[in-house]
Amino acid sequence: MTYKADEHRYDEGGMAFKRCGNSGVLLPQVSLGFWHNFGSVDPYERSREITRYAFDHGITHFDLANNYGPVYGSAEETMGRLMDDTFRPYRDELFIASKAGYDMWPGPYGNWGSRKYLMASLDQSLKRMHLDYVDLFYSHRYDPNTPLEETLQALVDIVRSGKALYIGISRWPLEATRFAYNYLKQRDVPLLIYQGRLNMLDREPQESGIMDFCAEHGVGFISFSPLAQGLLTDRYLNGIPADSRMSKGKFLKESALTPELLDRLRSYNAEAQQQGMTLAEYALRWILKQRGVTSVLVGASSTAQLEKNLQCVK
């Protein structure tokens, strides 16, 4: 059946939008990340259901990367199918991001931050997603060996080519971020946004000065892993569920759930309950209150999970 978006998706009282730094871009306070649950190992019908639900509830920003899956590239292929059977009529309402920086293909040109890798990767991403351009393209990680000028000039030229409208960086250290900001500003391709891991258990972007820098220079900030891979939910308060991400042990190890961490999680949960919230809602609201934060990137394995996460903007 042909998809028709909910006509009330932008109604007052629904999704809140926030200006991204000093730009003209408004991002939903909750954005949808494709890091997990949208690869070739996941049912396409479920991916379609989740993304349609997201858009119907005001989530206009979809965040991808070249190697999201598994397998590498397959989350972008899912996005391409979604464009063809769902979102093509709504392309101009969507703000689609992709990235390059981590291992993607064999050999010396499939990783890090060279001009060759970034440009080739974006061309591949556009083909997979069935897009002429992305709204936002990131350097996915800082490359200590490639000259920063090479990486940044490639990003400038990507914008000038029309293959991306805006540029972002992810997990760059402060001094490199400062250099990037100045380099891009001098070439009239301003740094739109910084993506970093920020949550109640990991406050490195605050402690390193990244968030202060972004706030003071008109750069947006978007938090990934806002629920710390599920730790900041009720999933692990009473042990490790057999079907949990931690039980699979790829990104979240059982050894991470120390007695000290469990005590901390239970304390946060008690604070959340006192305010009539779930732990996840409490954790997401905490991020959105931090100085300079534009949006939080949530993942979702079901519409029910996404519905719960959206309570943080109610």
Side-chain angles (χ1 to χ4, degrees), residues 155-266:
L155 297 177
V156 168
D157 292 342
I158 281 169
V159 169
R160 290 177 178 167
S161 74
K163 294 179 180 179
L165 302 185
Y166 298 92
I167 289 302
I169 58 176
S170 179
R171 306 191 79 178
W172 282 38
L174 179 59
E175 286 309 308
T177 298
R178 193 187 310 276
F179 183 92
Y181 171 84
N182 289 322
Y183 187 98
L184 294 168
K185 182 180 180 181
Q186 290 166 8
R187 287 153 183 83
D188 297 322
V189 180
L191 178 60
L192 178 74
I193 196 166
Y194 184 104
Q195 186 172 135
R197 188 197 306 271
L198 175 70
N199 57 57
M200 294 174 72
L201 301 177
D202 186 350
R203 308 186 186 192
E204 190 276 335
Q206 291 178 321
E207 295 163 354
S208 67
I210 286 289
M211 294 187 68
D212 284 341
F213 177 86
C214 289
E216 291 162 7
H217 291 82
V219 177
F221 184 93
I222 188 166
S223 163
F224 76 91
S225 198
L227 300 178
Q229 298 287 300
L231 285 173
L232 289 165
T233 70
D234 59 8
R235 298 251 314 149
Y236 300 102
L237 295 175
N238 298 299
I240 302 172
D243 63 343
S244 67
R245 188 174 292 176
M246 183 175 286
S247 69
K248 299 174 183 177
K250 184 176 182 182
F251 292 101
L252 193 60
K253 308 295 185 184
E254 290 190 19
S255 59
L257 195 62
T258 63
E260 294 79 12
L261 176 57
L262 189 55
D263 286 345
R264 191 175 174 188
L265 294 176
R266 287 172 174 165

Side-chain angles (χ1 to χ4, degrees), residues 261-312:
L261 176 57
L262 189 55
D263 286 345
R264 191 175 174 188
L265 294 176
R266 287 172 174 165
S267 175
Y268 285 147
N269 188 56
E271 293 173 14
Q273 289 181 332
Q274 287 173 4
Q275 298 184 41
M277 302 181 206
T278 64
L279 176 54
E281 182 183 350
Y282 184 67
L284 293 173
R285 288 194 181 201
W286 179 86
I287 294 172
L288 290 171
K289 290 178 182 177
Q290 303 309 302
R291 182 189 185 208
V293 170
T294 310
S295 183
V296 293
L297 276 172
V298 301
S301 58
S302 67
T303 55
Q305 184 183 41
L306 184 56
E307 180 183 12
K308 290 179 181 178
N309 288 339
L310 285 173
Q311 294 304 308
C312 72

Side-chain angles (χ1 to χ4, degrees), residues 36-54:
H36 303 292
N37 304 313
F38 294 90
S40 56
V41 300
D42 302 293
Y44 174 71
E45 292 72 19
R46 187 182 68 186
S47 298
R48 182 170 57 194
E49 181 183 10
I50 292 169
T51 52
R52 287 180 175 182
Y53 183 91

